[in-house]
Amino acid sequence: MSSPVLEIEGVTKSFGDRLVLDGIDLSISEHEAVALIGASGSGKSTLLRCIDLLEEIDDGDIYLDGEVITDPAVNPVSVRRRLGFVFQAFNLFPHMSVLDNVTLGAVRSGAMPKQEATDRGRELLDRFGLGGREADRPDQLSGGQQQRVALVRAFASRPRALLLDEVTSALDPELVGDVLEAVREMKDEGMTMIIATHEMTFAREVADRIAFLHEGRIVETGTPAKVMDSPERPETQRFLRRLLAGGRI
Amino acid sequence: MLGGLALLVFTSSGWPDVQETFFSPEAFRTSFPDILRAFWLDVRMFVAVEVVVLILGLVIALIRTSLSPALFPIRALAAIYCDLFRGVPVILLVYLIGFGIPTLGVTGILAEPIFLACVALSLAYSAYVAEVYRAGISSVHRTQTDSALAVGLTKFQALRHVVLPQAVRRVRPPLLNDFISLQKDVALVSVLGVQEAFRVAQIDSQSSFNYTPLIAAALLYLAVTIPMARILDYIARKQDSVV
Ligand SMILES: Nc1ncnc2c1ncn2[C@@H]1O[C@H](COP(=O)(O)OP(=O)(O)OP(=O)(O)O)[C@@H](O)[C@H]1O
Ligand SMILES: [Mg+2]
């Protein structure tokens, strides 16, 4: 395997006196998809937000392509331009057209000339089943379509890695499929990604590796088959048993 | 009810007198050109003050909504500013600044009543408008900023392209209200002796013992504020249908 795209070393993060991340170590190689699983409140979103520098960490280091990004001297804007983030609740810009949502970042950051960004935006929207919706406002789209726009928005700037935070959990069940299909397609194109998810079937199918987060620590990692079929740690076993009982697998 | 009242007024024995003192065509004709000329000053003052207010109000709102700890002292000053200037009657501010600043012995534009009146109105209305903007900015959810930063915008770009457009849309109605109040409050500068429409009408009516000039001035204010309200309503509706 090549050198890691993202490397997380000993990251801790508290909100007030609540310790949310308690020494996270995780490394993600190029083209690899890591599924981050764990109970609600285990710190999945917080970890992803820390990687995108939307939260400040208390301790540890995060490296992007071998360069430390959690140093105060690093400009967070330049880091975020190399990463893509997709939020659980889409967070599209409601006052802009679908196409402007997708091109805003690239155009304003100067990463691409406007024409190139527009062409790429149109092409990607078309590819992900949103052709003809470029001029619509986000609220004219279904939840599944909005989330695909959010995926395209993050993907359009050719990021080094995508950070996906439970991209389907705000969706009606019948809308989940198209969104997961879009993620799968990005993965097949070689996109490196961390996927926080409750969709175990999807995690098993798309992820190269699963990391199980429990109370702010990664207690078990491994291939989907290993972690899901023969988990070693009691916390993992309990988590999976509870999901199984809830009919979530 | 209103019709009954009107009937009562029009058939009362005093009505012919009222008609003569308030609605005399003769007095209207003689006073109107002067009042119209003076009203042009109101319009210019209003436009100048409004431009200042829209910018200064925004700057103050941005300071008040900033999160940076380094800005704390300025943030406190901005809060005090808003409390002070919103809490004092506008007419009192016009008085204080219009008569107070010249006693400092300043010369040139700083001693000019028109300029000082505009300063007073700008200070008062910037405080109102800052609070309106601030409500709008705080109503835009934090996740919008996160999202803007995540696509690679700087904090300033996030504000400029994502937060402010949404904030301003949401507070358009109260913003327009302040706009119209200001158009009327320009008449307050008459207390400094500035020859604007209300002042000219007042002088005319006192010298002729007739109130018709005041009615003429009122009509001029209405001729601007009513269409303005309708046009702004229309623009607001049109933009809302797009959002
Ligand atoms: N901004 C914040 N301020 C205070 N506490 C926070 C904040 N963000 C998250 N937390 C707390 O941190 C803990 C972890 O939250 P996080 O959102 O990372 O969990 P999660 O694994 O993503 O959960 P879920 O599956 O429900 O999305 C929770 O206890 C949460 O209450
Ligand atoms: Mg979460």
Side-chain angles (χ1 to χ4, degrees):
Chain A
M1 266 196 203
S2 52
S3 68
V5 173
L6 276 169
E7 242 181 316
I8 299 154
E9 286 182 4
V11 164
T12 64
K13 167 76 185 167
S14 307
F15 289 109
D17 47 15
R18 189 193 170 90
L19 184 61
V20 173
L21 299 179
D22 184 10
I24 300 279
D25 295 303
L26 186 66
S27 145
I28 296 100
S29 311
E30 181 119 49
H31 310 308
E32 191 184 24
V34 173
L36 201 56
I37 64 171
S40 182
S42 56
K44 302 183 293 293
S45 302
T46 305
L47 178 57
L48 294 183
R49 291 173 58 84
C50 287
I51 296 171
D52 208 27
L53 306 185
L54 293 171
E55 305 283 357
E56 234 172 275
I57 62 173
D58 300 331
D59 207 359
D61 291 301
I62 302 178
Y63 299 84
L64 175 59
D65 286 324
E67 175 206 345
V68 66
I69 58 173
T70 41
D71 188 287
V74 173
N75 178 6
V77 176
S78 73
V79 172
R80 294 189 199 110
R81 283 175 184 170
R82 287 187 279 153
L83 293 170
F85 199 107
V86 183
F87 299 85
Q88 180 170 357
F90 331 141
N91 298 4
L92 295 177
F93 307 126
H95 60 299
M96 289 182 187
S97 71
V98 163
L99 184 61
D100 287 344
N101 263 276
V102 171
T103 59
L104 179 72
V107 172
R108 294 292 161 193
S109 68
M112 285 179 208
K114 180 150 179 117
Q115 189 56 50
E116 187 189 335
T118 304
D119 291 344
R120 176 163 168 82
R122 283 185 187 284
E123 178 206 312
L124 286 175
L125 286 169
D126 197 49
R127 219 178 88 199
F128 290 99
L130 295 155
R133 309 306 298 264
E134 294 87 353
D136 287 351
R137 301 276 153 177
D139 67 0
Q140 293 172 287
L141 270 50
S142 75
Q145 289 168 330
Q146 290 187 47
Q147 192 58 298
R148 276 181 281 149
V149 173
L151 275 166
V152 168
R153 178 172 72 174
F155 188 70
S157 57
R158 301 195 170 88
R160 290 293 290 139
L162 275 182
L163 309 171
L164 310 183
D165 190 3
E166 294 191 39
V167 294
T168 57
S169 63
L171 297 176
D172 292 337
E174 71 271 19
L175 300 176
V176 168
D178 286 343
V179 171
L180 294 185
E181 185 52 45
V183 175
R184 197 175 291 124
E185 201 169 325
M186 290 174 183
K187 155 75 175 147
D188 289 344
E189 233 178 73
M191 182 53 71
T192 306
M193 42 178 88
I194 306 183
I195 311 170
T197 186
H198 285 300
E199 300 274 346
M200 292 303 146
T201 340
F202 178 67
R204 177 190 290 271
E205 182 194 343
V206 164
D208 302 298
R209 203 146 51 92
I210 287 191
F212 173 62
L213 198 56
H214 180 73
E215 292 176 355
R217 294 166 173 273
I218 292 179
V219 297
E220 185 159 1
T221 67
T223 61
K226 179 182 156 290
V227 174
M228 296 178 78
D229 299 336
S230 45
E232 283 170 9
R233 298 288 301 261
E235 298 91 339
T236 321
Q237 293 163 2
R238 225 176 307 128
F239 173 72
L240 291 170
R241 221 170 23 242
R242 211 169 296 145
L243 280 187
L244 203 58
R248 300 281 301 266
I249 300 189
Chain B
M1 165 73 179
L2 220 59
L5 203 65
L7 197 71
L8 204 70
V9 169
F10 292 137
T11 55
S12 67
S13 61
W15 173 243
D17 288 343
V18 171
Q19 194 176 20
E20 180 46 36
T21 34
F22 284 91
F23 305 103
S24 150
E26 175 57 30
F28 190 89
R29 258 194 308 279
T30 52
S31 64
F32 189 74
D34 282 346
I35 299 174
L36 181 62
R37 221 168 294 126
F39 188 68
W40 177 230
L41 176 62
D42 289 73
V43 172
R44 280 178 302 167
M45 282 194 295
F46 160 71
V47 172
V49 173
E50 185 64 34
V51 170
V52 172
V53 163
L54 284 175
I55 296 166
L56 188 59
L58 180 60
V59 170
I60 295 164
L62 290 178
I63 292 172
R64 292 204 66 184
T65 48
S66 69
L67 296 171
S68 151
L71 285 178
F72 174 76
I74 313 180
R75 205 153 51 226
L77 278 182
I80 293 171
Y81 169 88
C82 287
D83 285 348
L84 279 186
F85 286 90
R86 278 194 314 160
V88 175
V90 181
I91 191 162
L92 211 143
L93 270 182
V94 173
Y95 243 93
L96 275 178
I97 292 176
F99 290 123
I101 303 284
T103 63
L104 300 176
V106 292
T107 53
I109 193 169
L110 284 175
E112 199 59 56
I114 295 182
F115 173 76
L116 292 173
C118 287
V119 169
L121 288 173
S122 300
L123 288 173
Y125 272 85
S126 295
Y128 301 145
V129 166
E131 289 302 282
V132 170
Y133 277 131
R134 188 164 76 102
I137 293 169
S138 347
S139 79
V140 177
H141 206 274
R142 260 225 56 165
T143 53
Q144 284 288 308
T145 307
D146 283 347
S147 197
L149 295 178
V151 299
L153 300 193
T154 62
K155 280 183 187 169
F156 176 78
Q157 288 173 326
L159 197 62
R160 161 78 184 74
H161 298 289
V162 174
V163 176
L164 281 183
Q166 296 182 62
V168 170
R169 266 191 183 82
R170 287 183 203 179
V171 297
R172 224 163 13 204
L175 216 47
L176 302 185
N177 257 336
D178 281 346
F179 215 57
I180 289 167
S181 296
L182 174 61
Q183 286 180 335
K184 297 178 301 178
D185 276 356
V186 168
L188 292 175
V189 312
S190 63
V191 301
L192 301 181
V194 174
Q195 301 274 320
E196 56 73 59
F198 169 64
R199 180 74 179 170
V200 169
Q202 205 184 12
I203 293 169
D204 272 8
S205 79
Q206 275 162 3
S207 60
S208 64
F209 303 104
N210 191 298
Y211 292 113
T212 308
L214 293 175
I215 297 290
L219 288 176
L220 282 173
Y221 284 108
L222 288 175
V224 173
T225 51
I226 292 181
M228 181 74 79
R230 289 294 87 76
I231 290 170
L232 295 175
D233 274 354
Y234 173 76
I235 295 172
R237 247 199 326 276
K238 224 170 96 167
Q239 289 196 3
D240 280 338
S241 65
V242 177
V243 174

